[in-house]
């Protein structure tokens, strides 16, 4: 092989890693806003508004490639339906309902189980092979997550309480792990914008009955600048941009390696809390973020070897 041939995948992988980092950042903002607005916006309504806005954004971009590639994605239509139910309908609904009653600390910890669930479920049911170095990368980054969650005090982990909200968020994490593993089988040649448009349309249709049920029980939203800004953010960056970036990353670098980047979310969450909620960054934040970045760096280094 020539040096140009060797350089191309590395450059492409670097792009994928950067996009995966942005996806983690945008999703961190999604968690922060969902928790902050949980009393003002009912969960299924939030999910439906989020994906309704996302579909409006996606249609001008994704409808043409979606229709042009009908022959490519039709053989995978059953898998695509399952992906929509897991990644659009199930994951987000479970997270938003769970955040009605669970704490931010517990939510962050449970969210950080995704890379581990990807490895465990992948090894047990999908034939996923994970090397020692990749497992070490997950362990190092997860140690950073625990450092942040425990505020640098391991004894704090023993005091965490599990409630129904925690169980729902954990179920959402399992949905995302399976979504990531199933996504591997959709060929990278299929337009990721077109695929995301189809996933959002299917997931939105599945959300409608839950919204109707929620509205029938008297759930309502007060349309204030805060709620409108929440809908605008939710429907664009964590929905359109982050999902496209994540789908691209899984196709480019694989499910296990892409899943490692989810460990960046607690680090981004701490930074966003500092910027928007006035919370100070402590020493344990820096130690935890350092471990998370070390784990991600180790995972991405594996790809270039």
């Amino acid at each position: 092989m020539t040096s140009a041939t060797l350089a191309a995948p590395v450059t492409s992988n670097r792009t994928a890693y950067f996009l995966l980092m942005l996806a983690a950042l945008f999703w961190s903002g999604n968690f922060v806003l969902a928790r902050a607005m949980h009393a003002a916006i009912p969960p299924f309504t939030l999910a439906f508004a989020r994906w309704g806005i996302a579909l409006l954004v996606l249609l001008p971009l994704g409808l043409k490639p979606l229709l042009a590639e009908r022959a490519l994605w039709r053989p995978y239509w059953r898998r695509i339906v399952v992906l929509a139910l897991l990644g659009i309908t199930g994951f987000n609904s479970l997270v938003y309902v769970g955040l009605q009653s669970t704490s931010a600390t517990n939510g962050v910890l449970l969210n950080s189980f995704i890379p581990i669930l990807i490895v465990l479920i992948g090894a047990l049911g999908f034939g996923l092979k994970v090397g020692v170095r990749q497992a070490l990368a997950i362990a190092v980054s997860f140690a950073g997550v625990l450092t942040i969650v425990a505020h640098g005090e391991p004894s704090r982990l023993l005091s965490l309480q599990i409630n129904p909200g925690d169980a729902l968020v954990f179920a959402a994490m399992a949905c995302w792990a399976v979504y990531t593993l199933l996504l591997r089988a959709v060929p990278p040649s299929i337009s990721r914008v077109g695929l995301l448009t189809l996933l959002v349309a299917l997931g939105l249709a599945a959300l409608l009955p839950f919204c109707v049920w929620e509205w029938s029980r008297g759930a309502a939203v007060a349309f204030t600048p805060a709620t409108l800004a929440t809908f605008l953010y939710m429907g664009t960056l964590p929905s359109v941009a982050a999902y496209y970036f994540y789908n691209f990353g899984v196709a480019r670098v694989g499910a296990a390696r892409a899943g490692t980047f989810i460990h960046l979310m607690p680090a981004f969450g701490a930074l966003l809390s500092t910027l928007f909620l006035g919370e100070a960054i402590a020493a344990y934040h820096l130690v935890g973020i350092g471990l998370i970045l070390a784990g991600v760096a180790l995972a991405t280094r594996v790809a270039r070897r």
Side-chain angles (χ1 to χ4, degrees):
M1 290 187 183
T2 65
S3 59
T5 303
L6 291 172
V10 173
T11 302
S12 181
N13 283 357
R14 286 175 179 170
T15 300
Y17 297 148
F18 177 70
L19 295 180
L20 286 166
M21 287 179 63
L22 286 181
L25 175 61
F26 296 155
W27 280 331
S28 298
N30 174 51
F31 270 74
V32 171
L33 269 179
R35 179 59 185 169
M37 302 297 291
H38 76 279
I41 307 175
F44 291 113
T45 301
L46 177 58
F48 190 80
R50 170 185 178 178
W51 292 115
I53 294 171
L55 186 60
L56 292 176
V57 174
L58 281 167
L59 281 174
L61 303 171
L63 185 59
K64 185 176 180 179
L66 174 63
L67 296 176
E69 296 179 349
R70 290 191 299 269
L72 293 179
W73 59 258
R74 273 179 179 168
Y76 303 93
W77 72 268
R78 291 183 180 86
R79 184 178 293 264
I80 288 172
V81 170
V82 175
L83 285 170
L85 294 176
L86 289 173
I88 304 298
T89 306
F91 174 78
N92 293 278
S93 299
L94 289 168
V95 166
Y96 293 157
V97 175
L99 285 174
Q100 297 288 308
S101 58
T102 192
S103 68
T105 298
N106 286 20
V108 166
L109 178 58
L110 290 167
N111 186 79
S112 300
F113 272 103
I114 289 178
I116 297 173
L117 290 173
I118 290 174
V119 172
L120 292 177
I121 297 173
L124 293 174
F126 291 84
L128 181 67
K129 295 182 180 180
V130 180
V132 174
R133 189 183 294 268
Q134 184 68 33
L136 179 61
I138 292 172
V140 170
S141 59
F142 189 62
V145 170
L146 292 179
T147 301
I148 293 174
V149 171
H151 291 198
E153 302 174 10
S155 60
R156 281 178 174 257
L157 296 176
L158 300 178
S159 64
L160 290 176
Q161 298 179 350
I162 302 298
N163 60 41
D166 296 324
L168 289 171
V169 174
F170 185 81
M173 302 307 114
C175 284
W176 191 259
V178 178
Y179 169 87
T180 302
L181 292 162
L182 289 175
L183 190 62
R184 298 181 308 154
V186 180
S189 57
I190 295 177
S191 166
R192 260 34 200 175
V193 176
L195 175 63
L196 182 56
T197 303
L198 181 57
L199 291 176
V200 170
L202 293 171
L204 192 62
L207 268 171
L208 183 57
F210 295 98
C211 281
V212 171
W213 171 81
E214 190 171 67
W215 299 332
S216 71
R217 294 172 61 87
V221 179
F223 288 97
T224 65
T227 56
L228 292 175
T230 298
F231 288 146
L232 181 61
Y233 175 85
M234 295 291 204
T236 54
L237 295 182
S239 302
V240 178
Y243 269 70
Y244 174 78
F245 295 163
Y246 190 78
N247 290 357
F248 178 88
V250 171
R252 186 67 61 182
V253 302
R257 195 165 291 117
T260 304
F261 281 79
I262 294 173
H263 273 161
L264 288 170
M265 289 180 62
F268 286 140
L271 295 174
L272 290 173
S273 296
T274 300
L275 291 174
F276 297 106
L277 302 178
E279 297 180 1
I281 293 183
Y284 65 82
H285 284 121
L286 299 178
V287 173
I289 291 170
L291 287 170
I292 290 168
L293 293 177
V296 172
L298 182 60
T300 57
R301 183 182 176 189
V302 175
R304 298 197 290 268
R305 284 182 173 270

